[in-house]
Amino acid sequence: IDKAHNLKVHFLDVGQRDSIFIQLPNGTTSLIDGGNRWDAEFIADYLRMHEIQRIDYLIATHPHADHIGGLPQIIKDFDIGQIYMPKKAATTRVFESLVTEMKNKGLKAIEGKGGMDIVDGDGFNFSIIAPNSTDYKETNDYSIVTKLTYKDISFIFTGDAEKCSENEMLAKGYDLSADILKVGHHGSVYLSYI
C-alpha cells in the first residue's frame, strides 16, 4: 500500500476468510491468518511470487478454520520465525494439524495479548491490542487484534473480534485511530465496530 515508505500490506483474496501478508519497513514479514485449508496453495504461491521464503511473525488470530486452515501447510513450506496465538485451543482437526506442524519444526507459540509489541523501532510499531481477558464466552473474542503504525499511516487488523473485545479495547484506552481498519468477523452486520 505504501511503497514510498517500503511498507506493503497485501489483503489476500481468500473469499469469506482472512489472510493478510505484510512486508514491514525493516525487511521482516508477517502473515496474519491463512484462510481455509484449501487456501494454503494460493497463499504459498502468492508468497513465492513475491520471493518470500520466511515469515518472521505468523499470527493465528483465533482457532477457527477460516483463519487457521491454511497455516499448517504454510508452516510446513516456509521458514517461520515467531508464532503468535491466543490462549484458546480447539479440538478440530485443523487446529490439531497446526499444532502438529509447529511441533514438527520445533516451534512454540507466544501467547498474544493486549499491550504486547511484536516489533517496535525503526520508525514503526506493530503491536497487539487484544485480547485483554482470558475468559470469553465467544471464541471470536479471543482474536488477536494488531495495530501497525508507520510514519503517517496506520492499520488495525481485528481478526473476528466482537463487541466484548471491542469494548475492552476502548476501556483500556488504546489509540484506535487508523487509516485502514480490517473490520472484525468479515464485516458481519450483527457486530459493532470499534
Side-chain angles (χ1 to χ4, degrees):
I1 282 183
D2 193 9
K3 293 179 182 176
H5 292 150
N6 300 315
L7 169 67
K8 297 178 183 176
V9 179
H10 310 249
F11 292 89
L12 305 186
D13 185 3
V14 290
Q16 189 72 9
R17 301 171 295 278
D18 278 4
S19 188
I20 302 161
F21 173 61
I22 305 169
Q23 293 172 287
L24 295 159
N26 66 352
T28 61
T29 61
S30 180
L31 181 67
I32 303 174
D33 289 334
N36 271 328
R37 179 177 37 86
W38 54 82
D39 295 315
E41 185 177 340
F42 166 76
I43 295 167
D45 288 347
Y46 188 89
L47 295 173
R48 289 184 187 109
M49 182 179 71
H50 287 85
E51 300 179 352
I52 302 302
Q53 298 174 352
R54 177 179 170 85
I55 304 296
D56 296 287
Y57 311 106
L58 188 142
I59 301 167
T61 59
H62 65 293
H64 282 159
D66 58 336
H67 290 258
I68 65 166
L71 294 182
Q73 191 65 44
I74 297 300
I75 291 170
K76 185 177 182 180
D77 291 351
F78 290 84
D79 184 20
I80 305 294
Q82 298 173 335
I83 298 177
Y84 292 85
M85 297 171 65
K87 192 172 187 177
K88 178 64 176 172
T91 57
T92 60
R93 280 189 290 184
V94 70
F95 184 79
E96 291 171 5
S97 179
L98 174 63
V99 171
T100 297
E101 289 305 330
M102 289 170 56
K103 285 180 181 176
N104 288 345
K105 282 201 161 177
L107 298 167
K108 291 186 179 181
I110 296 168
E111 181 187 349
K113 51 189 171 183
M116 295 177 68
D117 285 326
I118 296 172
V119 185
D120 187 24
D122 298 324
F124 74 101
N125 178 267
F126 190 31
S127 60
I128 298 174
I129 57 177
N132 290 289
S133 296
T134 57
D135 187 24
Y136 295 104
K137 291 180 183 177
E138 299 294 330
T139 297
N140 287 335
D141 280 319
Y142 285 91
S143 288
I144 292 177
V145 177
T146 52
K147 181 168 184 180
L148 171 60
T149 303
Y150 180 58
K151 295 189 178 180
D152 58 352
I153 191 165
S154 58
F155 302 78
I156 293 180
F157 308 101
T158 61
D160 278 354
E162 296 184 5
K163 188 174 183 177
C164 180
S165 181
E166 292 172 351
N167 286 335
E168 286 178 341
M169 286 183 270
L170 289 167
K172 289 276 187 182
Y174 290 115
D175 177 6
L176 300 177
S177 61
D179 298 290
I180 298 171
L181 170 66
K182 198 297 289 181
V183 296
H185 209 267
H186 320 278
S188 171
V189 298
Y190 300 105
L191 307 172
S192 66
Y193 299 111
I194 300 173

